[in-house]
Amino acid sequence: MAMTSFVVDEQDSRDRGGPAQPLLTVNALRKHFPIRGGLLGRVSAHVRAVDGVSFTVAKGETLGIVGESGCGKSTVARLLMRLIVPDAGEQIFDGEAVGEHGGISVKQMRRQVQMVFQDSASSLNPRMPVQNSIAFGPMAFGLPKQEAIAMARELLTKVGLNPALFGARYPHELSGGQKQRVNIARALALQPRMIILDEAVSALDKSVEAQVLNLLQALKRDLNLTYVFISHDLGVVRWISDRVMVMYLGEVVEIGPADEIYNNAKHPYTQALLASRPALDPDMRREEAPVSGDPPNPINPPAGCRFHTRCPAAEPVCAAKAPALRDGSDTGHFAACHLHDPSSGHSQSVRH
Ligand SMILES: Nc1ncnc2c1ncn2[C@@H]1O[C@H](COP(=O)(O)OP(=O)(O)OP(=O)(O)O)[C@@H](O)[C@H]1O
Ligand SMILES: [Mg+2]
C-alpha cells in the first residue's frame, strides 16, 4: 500500500530488535480492582482480575486468548493499552520497557499498538462521517486534514469499503460488519505494529464474521501486523491463532501452539473447555456454562490451583500449592497443573 507514512518512514526501521525478539513481553502483570463498600465507601475487598500474567507475542504471530467470562481477558487487553494502570508487572515492547522510567513512554507505545473492541457502534462518533473518524488519529498526530482524509479513504478501500460510497456516511448508516471494518481502518490509521482485538467479531453474524476474519488475515500479511485476538469462540480462535493462551480466574493455566492446545490440551480446565464446545450446528448449541459449576469468586480465589474446586483430577496437593507453568516436553507448550509435574506429589502425575 502506497500510504502516506507520517509516523515513520519505514515499517522495518521500527523493527530494531530483529525478528527473533518478541514484539511484546509481559511479566507478572497484575491488576486488582478495589471494591468499595459500607457507608464510608472504604475499600472492602479486591477483585483479582489479572493476577500475575506472563506471556510473549512474537513478531507477526497471532496470540489467541480464551477463557470463561470474567477470567480477565479484557483486563489484560486494557492493561496492554494502558487504558488502566497495572498494579505490578512489566511490559516490554520490542525490547523496550513501557513506562516512565526509561524505555518507551505509554504514548510512544500507543502509536504502535491499537485496539478494536466488540462494540463497534460506541467506538465511532455518531455525529462524524466515518472517514473523519478514521482521519481523527492521524490529525491528532499532526497530519493536515486534507491528507488525513485522503489517507482515511485509502484505508476504507483497504478494508473493502468503497470510499465514494461509504466515506461520507455516518455510523448509523452502516451495518455491524461495515462498522467493524471502519473500526479496523481507524486502528490501522496510526500504522500500528500490533492490534489487540477484544471480541472484535463476536457480535457479527457468522457469514459476516468469516469475511471480517479473512480481512484481518489479509491485512496482517500485507501490513506485517501482530495480533492479540481475544474471543470466547474457541473455533474462531483456533482458526486465526498461531498460539493460544488459556486463562482461568486471572491466571494463565496453559499456553502453546494452537494445534497443541486443541489436539493435546494438558490442563483439565482447557480439556473441559474444549469438550463443552458448542456444536457447529446451531440447533445443537447449548447455552449452559462451558465448564460445570460456576467459576469461584475472583475476590477470594481458591488456594493452590484455582481450578481445583472444579477439577475431576484434584487431589490434596492441588489445594495446597499453586502449580507453576511448565513445559515438560520442550515444545513451547506450557501448562500449570500438578498432573504434568512429575515432582508435584500428585498420584497421577506424568512425565513427558
Ligand atoms: N473496573 C472494574 N472494577 C471492578 N471489577 C472489575 C472491573 N473491570 C473488570 N472487573 C472484574 O474483573 C474480572 C475480569 O473481568 P474481564 O472483563 O477482564 O473478564 P473477561 O475475561 O474479559 O470476561 P468476558 O468474557 O465476559 O468479556 C471480572 O470479575 C470483572 O467483574
Ligand atoms: Mg471481555
Side-chain angles (χ1 to χ4, degrees):
M1 181 168 54
M3 215 167 67
T4 340
S5 192
F6 63 98
V7 178
V8 284
D9 302 329
E10 281 288 319
Q11 188 79 21
D12 287 345
S13 72
R14 291 189 286 182
D15 191 358
R16 282 169 326 234
Q21 174 165 284
L23 187 57
L24 176 68
T25 302
V26 168
N27 286 323
L29 199 61
R30 193 176 78 207
K31 183 70 189 180
H32 292 182
F33 291 110
I35 304 288
R36 292 175 195 280
L39 285 175
L40 300 173
R42 290 210 176 100
V43 174
S44 55
H46 285 89
V47 179
R48 292 159 75 162
V50 172
D51 214 7
V53 163
S54 304
F55 59 90
T56 59
V57 188
K59 285 171 185 164
E61 87 169 338
T62 297
L63 176 74
I65 306 184
V66 298
E68 279 165 294
S69 182
C71 69
K73 304 181 295 296
S74 294
T75 305
V76 167
R78 289 160 67 211
L79 288 168
L80 294 182
M81 288 301 294
R82 292 291 173 108
L83 300 175
I84 48 177
V85 180
D87 298 335
E90 190 182 35
Q91 180 180 356
I92 298 164
F93 193 82
D94 203 3
E96 293 188 289
V98 178
E100 288 69 45
H101 315 291
I104 59 169
S105 66
V106 169
K107 190 174 172 200
Q108 286 169 316
M109 179 274 293
R110 280 198 190 136
R111 278 191 175 195
Q112 306 187 60
V113 187
Q114 289 289 307
M115 189 157 166
V116 178
F117 300 92
Q118 167 169 9
D119 193 353
S120 54
S122 70
S123 41
L124 292 171
N125 185 335
R127 284 175 292 279
M128 227 187 231
V130 295
Q131 65 188 15
N132 295 58
S133 278
I134 298 168
F136 191 83
M139 282 165 64
F141 277 101
L143 195 67
K145 181 166 182 180
Q146 225 177 347
E147 284 172 48
I149 295 283
M151 181 187 182
R153 292 171 70 86
E154 274 182 64
L155 283 165
L156 280 170
T157 306
K158 192 86 195 146
V159 298
L161 296 174
N162 180 349
L165 271 179
F166 291 96
R169 287 198 195 175
Y170 289 84
H172 74 268
E173 297 173 302
L174 303 182
S175 70
Q178 289 162 348
K179 270 185 281 208
Q180 231 24 355
R181 286 174 190 266
V182 170
N183 274 312
I184 293 165
R186 206 175 58 142
L188 293 174
L190 288 174
Q191 299 171 342
R193 300 173 70 189
M194 169 178 273
I195 303 184
I196 300 168
L197 299 130
D198 188 0
E199 306 281 2
V201 297
S202 305
L204 306 176
D205 290 344
K206 275 288 156 198
S207 62
V208 178
E209 180 184 53
Q211 291 163 10
V212 176
L213 287 169
N214 281 322
L215 169 69
L216 287 170
Q217 285 294 65
L219 290 170
K220 180 169 171 255
R221 273 194 307 271
D222 287 1
L223 303 174
N224 262 320
L225 295 167
T226 299
Y227 290 156
V228 172
F229 188 92
I230 297 170
S231 175
H232 64 274
D233 186 328
L234 294 163
V236 165
V237 168
R238 180 179 200 171
W239 185 83
I240 204 163
S241 304
D242 300 299
R243 286 190 308 130
V244 173
M245 173 165 115
V246 185
M247 288 186 68
Y248 185 74
L249 278 181
E251 294 182 333
V252 178
V253 295
E254 187 158 5
I255 182 167
D259 285 346
E260 274 283 312
I261 299 286
Y262 283 81
N263 297 328
N264 185 25
K266 289 180 180 172
H267 201 287
Y269 175 64
T270 311
Q271 291 166 356
L273 209 57
L274 290 171
S276 63
R277 240 186 311 180
L280 283 175
D281 178 353
D283 292 338
M284 301 282 286
R285 279 194 194 157
R286 302 185 296 185
E287 289 300 319
E288 72 253 39
V291 183
S292 63
D294 289 329
N297 190 333
I299 292 174
N300 193 11
C305 170
R306 292 186 179 180
F307 188 57
H308 85 262
T309 55
R310 298 163 88 192
C311 182
E315 291 187 358
V317 63
C318 303
K321 68 175 181 192
L325 272 173
R326 325 179 50 253
D327 177 12
S329 45
D330 246 5
T331 52
H333 181 176
F334 294 79
C337 177
H338 291 316
L339 281 173
H340 296 275
D341 177 359
S343 64
S344 67
H346 193 292
S347 72
Q348 295 169 51
S349 69
V350 287
R351 190 178 294 280
H352 291 277

